[in-house]
Amino acid sequence: VYKRQELTGPGKCKLRDLADFWVSPDRMPESLNIYFLPAKPEIRITDNSLLVDAGVVAAGSTDQVIRQMASLLYRNLQCEAGENPLDLEGEQAIAQSFRVLMNEGITGWIEKAVHMEFDAKHPELYKVKIIPEEFFFKAQAAIGMMNRQLGPILADEEVLEDKGNNFAGHLAGMNAFSQTGYGMAAVISHHLGDERLRDAGRSVPDFLAAYQEAALLNPVPAPVPGALGVEPYLTVPPLDPEVFTELHALLVRNFPQ
C-alpha cells in the first residue's frame, strides 16, 4: 500500500519523490494501493490503485518500473484534458494537437522512454526495441513540417479553418505526437531544467514558450541525431519566429490562463 505519509524503502520513496515532483499535491490521492500480480504485460491505474504486472517488473530495472508508474500517475492525474484533435477543425485542431504534444512529451520524459528496455527472455516485451535517435529524427521532421505549413495556415482565417484538421492528421500520420513531444520536453529539460518543464506543463502556451526559448539555444544548423559527440537534445530546432508568434497567440486564445 502506497500512502503518502507512510512511505518506507528506497523504491517507494523514489516513486513518492517522482509523483510529488511532477503531480500537483491537490491532484494526488491520499493513498494509492500498488498491486503486483501476474497479468497482461502492462501497468494500469484504477480506483486509486496501480496494477503492475509481475512480468513487467521482472523484465525491466527497478528504476524503469518506478518511472513507468510515476509516468502513469502523471498521465492520469495531471495531464491537460481536452478533445481529440483529429475530431476538430480549424484552430481548435491545432491547439489540441499541441496539448497532446505537451502531454505525451512530459509523460515520456518522466518514464525516460528512449532508454526503456526489457529482458530478451520476456515472451512479449522482448519485441520492444527503442532506437533513441528515431525520436529526434521525428522531432526534426515534425518541427520542419510546422515551419513549412503553419505560416500560410495561420496567416489566413479561411485557410486555418480549412487546414487545421489536416495539420492534426499530418502529425498523427507521422506518428509524431509521442516522439516529437519527447524531443520538445528533452530540449526544455536539458537547457532550462526539470522544474521549468514541470511548470510549463501546466499550460500549453507556456510549454510552447519554454520549448522555443530552449530550442533557440541549440546550434544552427541542427546537427544530425546520432552523430558522434552530439547530445540528442541539441538536434531539435526552434520554430521560425513568425510561426512561433502566431502559434503562441492561437494557444493563448484556446487555453486562457
Side-chain angles (χ1 to χ4, degrees):
V1 175
Y2 163 51
K3 294 185 177 180
R4 302 185 68 213
Q5 64 272 41
E6 298 177 10
L7 284 177
T8 58
K12 290 180 179 179
C13 286
K14 180 66 178 293
L15 177 58
R16 174 180 179 172
D17 289 345
L18 284 170
D20 285 349
F21 180 85
W22 290 104
V23 180
S24 298
D26 60 317
R27 298 199 179 195
M28 283 295 296
E30 282 302 312
S31 65
L32 183 72
N33 299 310
I34 305 175
Y35 298 100
F36 297 92
L37 67 168
K40 294 181 179 180
E42 62 183 7
I43 302 174
R44 303 184 66 180
I45 185 170
T46 179
D47 297 328
N48 292 343
S49 296
L50 280 171
L51 310 179
V52 186
D53 171 49
V56 171
V57 178
S61 69
T62 300
D63 182 71
Q64 179 170 291
V65 173
I66 290 170
R67 285 192 168 278
Q68 287 174 303
M69 289 192 285
S71 177
L72 186 61
L73 289 174
Y74 184 90
R75 181 180 295 280
N76 281 269
L77 301 175
Q78 188 65 58
C79 274
E80 180 83 15
E83 297 181 70
N84 184 343
L86 299 179
D87 296 335
L88 302 171
E89 302 291 338
E91 71 172 47
Q92 289 77 25
I94 294 175
Q96 293 298 323
S97 292
F98 281 88
R99 177 190 61 83
V100 175
L101 283 166
M102 179 183 77
N103 288 342
E104 292 298 319
I106 297 178
T107 54
W109 182 252
I110 294 170
E111 70 178 359
K112 302 299 181 190
V114 301
H115 302 298
M116 197 174 298
E117 58 182 4
F118 297 96
D119 194 311
K121 295 179 182 179
H122 192 282
E124 292 293 332
L125 295 176
Y126 81 92
K127 301 173 185 176
V128 177
K129 305 293 184 184
I130 294 175
I131 302 173
E133 291 80 9
E134 289 184 353
F135 282 65
F136 294 92
F137 274 116
K138 186 60 61 69
Q140 275 193 352
I143 297 298
M145 181 273 289
M146 293 175 193
N147 281 331
R148 291 190 304 273
Q149 292 191 9
L150 284 179
I153 290 175
L154 298 176
D156 188 307
E157 289 187 8
E158 290 186 4
V159 176
L160 174 59
E161 186 61 29
D162 184 54
K163 299 294 185 182
N165 183 267
N166 290 348
F167 174 82
H170 199 159
L171 284 175
M174 294 173 68
N175 194 26
F177 284 115
S178 60
Q179 293 180 328
T180 301
Y182 182 94
M184 297 172 78
V187 172
I188 297 170
S189 176
H190 281 287
H191 282 305
L192 307 179
D194 272 353
E195 287 191 6
R196 178 67 180 280
L197 174 60
R198 176 199 61 198
D199 295 345
R202 306 295 195 256
S203 159
V204 183
D206 289 353
F207 180 81
L208 184 74
Y211 166 74
Q212 184 75 353
E213 179 184 340
L216 284 169
L217 299 174
N218 279 348
V220 179
V224 176
L228 185 64
V230 175
E231 293 291 342
Y233 68 89
L234 294 173
T235 68
V236 186
L239 293 164
D240 291 341
E242 60 276 12
V243 170
F244 167 74
T245 299
E246 292 298 325
L247 178 59
H248 188 262
L250 181 153
L251 295 181
V252 169
R253 290 196 300 272
N254 283 272
F255 300 101
Q257 301 294 321

